[in-house]
Amino acid sequence: MKTINKFQTAAAGLAVVLALSACGGAASSNAPAAELSKTQNTRDVSEGVQPDAAAVALLPESFKSKGEITVAMDLSSPPMTFLAEDNSTPIGLNPDLARLVAKKLGLKLKFENTAFDTIIPGIDGGRYDFTATTMSATEERLKVLDMINYLKGGSAVAVAKGNPNNLTNDTLCGKNIGVTKGSTQQLKHLPNVSKWTCEEKGQPAINAITLPNVQEALTQLDSKRIDGVFYDASALAWANEQQPDHFHILEPRMDTRTNTNVAMGVKKGSALTPALQKAIQSVLETPEYKESLEYWGLGESAITEAAIR
């Protein structure tokens, strides 16, 4: 797509914000972990975490004998799931939590990097044991998977730096809000929010500005062509971490009146399900769980119950 000249400067500044994979020079081997950028830091948050005896007791004998469990992920979506700048180490919130789950089960963890739409067939066919890839529980998925909540997802609104118009989630009526083409924000959430927040109260509807991708939306926000961007909360948090001087994320996240929990998935009826659920619950109770959430800018995403769907 040809870039519009007047947006080139802003686009160049924002291009790094939502890159789908890490890039750049290798980290110095002498640099302390605390000084590394997040795309370079291959720290293991699970180091020192001990197995949960109750979870281990529930493991099928085949896993105890093998000593390993395989997790499927699409490693292309920072800050949730992506590769470090070494182009080989899975990093992000989901790899952190998968490592913690494996430690609670007393197993080694094997990562399989695969396209999102191949994960469920792969689990159903026995190629992977489970997935932790920011997947929500839908009716279709629940036909083939047992799904166990581990995180709260959701949508958020980004506005201009400093929020000069003093916008809140409830004062977007009549404003131009960017959404990405084909997103749930465009197709479902923004129309619904506009209806109950504005239209049913006699106020002007939120004006959805549909754009091809979130980078273009943030570029237009940076250029003051739109008033806000309505998008996935985790991606906006990552963008804000990478380039904090371009915009402001409204809090709390937008109430879309939908279940925003995301879940780890395992084959429906699997003998592994009880052990996995117990391990995830144990992880939710660890300081490392909240440490990882805070590290990736997702402190709002914590939940306390690993419910099976």
Side-chain angles (χ1 to χ4, degrees):
M1 177 181 290
K2 186 176 180 180
T3 305
I4 300 173
N5 289 337
K6 68 173 59 178
F7 292 152
Q8 282 181 340
T9 301
L14 286 167
V16 69
V17 168
L18 290 163
L20 293 180
S21 59
C23 58
S28 167
S29 59
N30 297 321
E35 296 179 5
L36 296 176
S37 70
K38 289 183 179 179
T39 58
Q40 294 174 311
N41 193 351
T42 56
R43 94 234 186 281
D44 183 352
V45 72
S46 72
E47 187 174 348
V49 172
Q50 298 300 309
D52 183 294
V56 174
L58 293 171
L59 266 178
E61 195 58 42
S62 59
F63 285 93
K64 293 180 181 178
S65 299
K66 188 177 181 181
E68 182 180 81
I69 190 167
T70 300
V71 63
M73 293 185 181
D74 184 345
L75 291 164
S76 64
S77 300
M80 304 303 291
T81 313
F82 63 118
L83 290 173
E85 289 189 26
D86 63 12
N87 207 35
S88 63
T89 306
I91 61 173
L93 182 61
N94 287 327
D96 279 358
L97 300 186
R99 290 184 177 102
L100 288 169
V101 167
K103 282 291 184 72
K104 289 297 183 179
L105 292 170
L107 300 173
K108 293 181 180 179
L109 183 66
K110 179 181 178 182
F111 286 94
E112 288 287 352
N113 185 10
T114 185
F116 188 86
D117 61 0
T118 69
I119 292 174
I120 293 177
I123 291 175
D124 194 43
R127 293 194 297 277
Y128 319 124
D129 297 316
F130 77 109
T131 185
T133 192
T134 324
M135 187 178 287
S136 58
T138 64
E139 287 186 22
E140 294 78 12
R141 290 169 182 163
L142 289 172
K143 291 176 182 177
V144 292
L145 298 178
D146 288 334
M147 303 194 74
I148 306 162
N149 292 339
Y150 72 103
L151 194 67
K152 181 170 61 177
S155 302
V157 175
V159 297
K161 177 185 175 182
N163 193 12
N165 295 323
N166 294 316
L167 295 176
T168 70
N169 290 337
D170 297 321
T171 61
L172 301 177
C173 305
K175 302 299 183 182
N176 294 322
I177 304 298
V179 289
T180 59
K181 186 176 181 180
S183 66
T184 56
Q185 287 83 14
Q186 180 214 6
L187 300 175
K188 182 178 180 180
H189 295 325
L190 190 62
N192 288 345
V193 169
S194 178
K195 180 180 178 181
W196 64 62
T197 303
C198 305
E199 297 161 56
E200 290 180 348
K201 297 179 180 179
Q203 298 186 54
I206 299 172
N207 186 25
I209 306 298
T210 302
L211 297 164
N213 54 60
V214 71
Q215 181 178 315
E216 177 67 14
L218 289 172
T219 296
Q220 293 213 21
L221 177 63
D222 204 45
S223 301
K224 299 181 173 58
R225 294 231 166 181
I226 56 178
D227 300 304
V229 175
F230 188 30
Y231 196 64
D232 179 75
S234 63
L236 288 178
W238 172 255
N240 192 47
E241 284 279 328
Q242 300 305 299
Q243 197 118 352
D245 293 330
H246 278 270
F247 56 90
H248 169 80
I249 301 173
L250 297 183
E251 294 182 354
R253 294 177 182 177
M254 181 66 75
D255 179 10
T256 58
R257 302 186 186 180
T258 57
N259 184 339
T260 61
N261 284 336
V262 293
M264 297 190 190
V266 62
K267 187 171 182 177
K268 193 167 188 66
S270 172
L272 177 61
T273 299
L276 187 62
Q277 189 274 337
K278 187 67 176 178
I280 295 171
Q281 183 62 52
S282 185
V283 166
L284 300 188
E285 297 167 4
T286 64
E288 288 81 6
Y289 173 66
K290 291 183 179 178
E291 175 189 330
S292 179
L293 289 171
E294 293 294 342
Y295 181 82
W296 295 109
L298 297 168
E300 273 192 85
S301 295
I303 63 171
T304 58
E305 183 182 1
I308 298 178
R309 301 293 303 279

